[in-house]
Amino acid sequence: MQIDEQRIVQYIRDLVEIPSPSGYTEEAIAYVATFMNKHNVPFEITKKGALLATLSGKDKTRHRLLTAHVDTLGAMVKEIKSDGRLKLTMVGGFRWNSVEGEYCTIHTANGTTYTGTILVHQTSVHVYKNAGDVKRDEDHIEVRLDAAVKSKAETEQLGIHVGDFVSFDPRFQIAGDFIKSRHLDDKASVGILLHLIEVIQEGELDLPYTIHILISNNEEIGYGGNSNIPAETVEYIAVDMGAIGDGQATDEYTVSICAKDSSGPYHYKLRQHLTNLAITNDIGYKVDIYPFYGSDASAAIRAGYDIRHGLIGPGIDASHAFERTHVSALRHTTHLLWRYIYSPMF
């Protein structure tokens, strides 16, 4: 397979610039749907709003499924404060300090958007002597709107209400061969899957097994890939991010193959199959354990599906915060997936 890293990076850039916190993903799914139509890939939109595409293979009795998710971390308006600023509630699992100072967008029910900045209420060091000691939590974090409002009523007059979604600016940058952006979890892997599909479709290549591509939209809240799995599915691989930190083997330059996360071990023989493919084909990889992690594959197992489940993905630094990866991790992940879909099913 000839991997075009720049096309993957462009897909990632397009996707991270589309706001899509869990529960507000229609535009991101529409982007993927447009891609599928362009490449003549049949798909359906599920009742939950995910996208399930199918690439037919020679063996139509045993299928494989690959999934990645377009939903991201974000927030919702919890309360409009008396001074017109906004109190937030989290969508997905992150720490408030990781979004302090971030620019954001409020998406109102009538379609109007407003920008703002996420701050601790006691930010000004010229007024609050102990500003650095203030706890970063839901009670102290707020949004300063870029609008001339000084009261709750004035903010409500803009059309902003409790329940409106709030997205975080991605701040996408390319620094040499590094990609820096919020929401690389998991839009980096969606970009990889899109490139995989276009190579297959543009080359009119035959597949040994039918492949389903599930682009899920609720992974960050725990149930993105636990339904709409065709009955013929034997193997299910979540393509997500590899977690980097102290004690971890994963790095930004290779594909990470997960042996175990908070849900327990992944299917041993499938993991060994992926590892052997990496070794045989000179693919840079790490096998790792993610202590505080759950994937769409583990959600499918919890939902009772009788499948072999696996989890791989590019290593991404500072997950759920200031994320970064390297093009080599994208390349190795794409290469492993390519070898996998053409490998015999055991």
Side-chain angles (χ1 to χ4, degrees):
M1 176 189 182
Q2 187 66 39
I3 299 171
D4 188 337
E5 297 160 359
Q6 295 310 308
R7 293 180 84 167
I8 297 173
V9 171
Q10 185 59 55
Y11 290 137
I12 295 170
R13 182 170 200 156
D14 290 348
L15 286 162
V16 299
E17 291 178 351
I18 299 172
S20 58
S22 301
Y24 189 80
T25 58
E26 285 191 9
E27 187 178 351
I29 290 293
Y31 175 93
V32 178
T34 298
F35 172 92
M36 297 298 178
N37 283 326
K38 177 182 176 182
H39 291 87
N40 299 311
V41 179
F43 68 90
E44 62 177 292
I45 304 297
T46 71
K47 293 182 179 68
K48 289 196 296 185
L51 185 147
L52 180 64
T54 300
L55 299 173
S56 293
K58 294 179 181 178
D59 189 334
K60 294 178 172 56
T61 63
R62 296 180 297 164
H63 297 184
R64 285 169 163 157
L65 187 147
L66 305 175
T67 184
H69 64 92
V70 293
D71 64 306
T72 69
L73 306 174
M76 297 175 78
V77 177
K78 170 64 172 62
E79 175 187 334
I80 301 174
K81 303 173 74 171
S82 60
D83 61 0
R85 296 191 178 193
L86 308 177
K87 186 174 180 178
L88 299 177
T89 183
M90 290 182 179
V91 173
F94 58 94
R95 299 292 179 265
W96 285 116
N97 64 285
S98 72
V99 296
E100 182 181 358
E102 190 59 89
Y103 295 159
C104 64
T105 301
I106 299 87
H107 305 270
T108 70
N110 64 18
T112 305
T113 59
Y114 295 92
T115 60
T117 305
I118 300 172
L119 299 166
V120 172
H121 180 76
Q122 300 91 337
T123 290
S124 176
V125 296
H126 294 98
V127 178
Y128 303 103
K129 181 179 180 180
N130 298 317
D133 299 328
V134 174
K135 190 173 182 179
R136 273 57 181 170
D137 61 15
E138 189 174 286
D139 292 326
H140 296 91
I141 288 282
E142 63 186 18
V143 174
R144 178 188 66 197
L145 286 168
D146 297 326
V149 293
K150 298 180 181 179
S151 68
K152 177 180 178 179
E154 289 177 340
T155 296
E156 289 178 335
Q157 287 171 6
L158 296 177
I160 296 173
H161 299 289
V162 170
D164 287 342
F165 281 93
V166 178
S167 61
F168 310 143
D169 281 15
R171 292 187 292 134
F172 180 96
Q173 287 187 17
I174 297 172
D177 287 331
F178 288 101
I179 299 96
K180 302 193 297 183
S181 180
R182 289 193 185 275
H183 314 318
L184 295 179
D185 173 17
D186 184 32
K187 291 180 175 181
S189 292
V190 177
I192 287 169
L193 291 184
L194 296 187
H195 183 48
L196 198 67
I197 290 168
E198 73 179 344
V199 170
I200 294 168
Q201 294 299 93
E202 290 176 1
E204 298 181 351
L205 305 177
D206 293 328
L207 292 168
Y209 304 95
T210 293
I211 303 289
H212 302 285
I213 308 290
L214 175 63
I215 305 300
S216 73
N217 63 332
N218 288 294
E219 193 276 347
E220 294 294 357
I221 52 177
Y223 59 87
N226 65 352
S227 63
N228 305 101
I229 301 171
E232 298 84 359
T233 302
V234 176
E235 295 177 352
Y236 180 122
I237 291 184
V239 190
D240 211 317
M241 46 139 277
I244 297 173
D246 293 342
Q248 298 297 106
T250 301
D251 59 35
E252 295 176 81
Y253 310 100
T254 56
V255 56
S256 183
I257 302 172
C258 183
K260 174 184 178 291
D261 64 13
S262 63
S263 69
Y266 282 78
H267 193 279
Y268 181 65
K269 286 189 176 180
L270 181 54
R271 190 244 295 182
Q272 288 296 91
H273 181 56
L274 293 166
T275 302
N276 290 335
L277 286 172
I279 294 169
T280 302
N281 295 284
D282 196 27
I283 297 168
Y285 78 98
K286 305 289 185 182
V287 175
D288 215 345
I289 290 173
Y290 312 150
F292 309 109
Y293 194 117
S295 74
D296 275 337
S298 56
I301 291 293
R302 284 197 176 101
Y305 281 91
D306 183 20
I307 52 174
R308 302 169 190 153
H309 72 314
L311 168 60
I312 70 170
I316 291 178
D317 190 49
S319 58
H320 281 202
F322 312 104
E323 295 171 348
R324 189 183 76 168
T325 193
H326 193 271
V327 292
S328 61
L330 305 177
R331 181 175 65 252
H332 289 303
T333 303
T334 308
H335 191 184
L336 181 56
L337 286 169
W338 178 260
R339 292 296 180 178
Y340 166 69
I341 64 176
Y342 279 97
S343 67
M345 191 179 296
F346 58 87

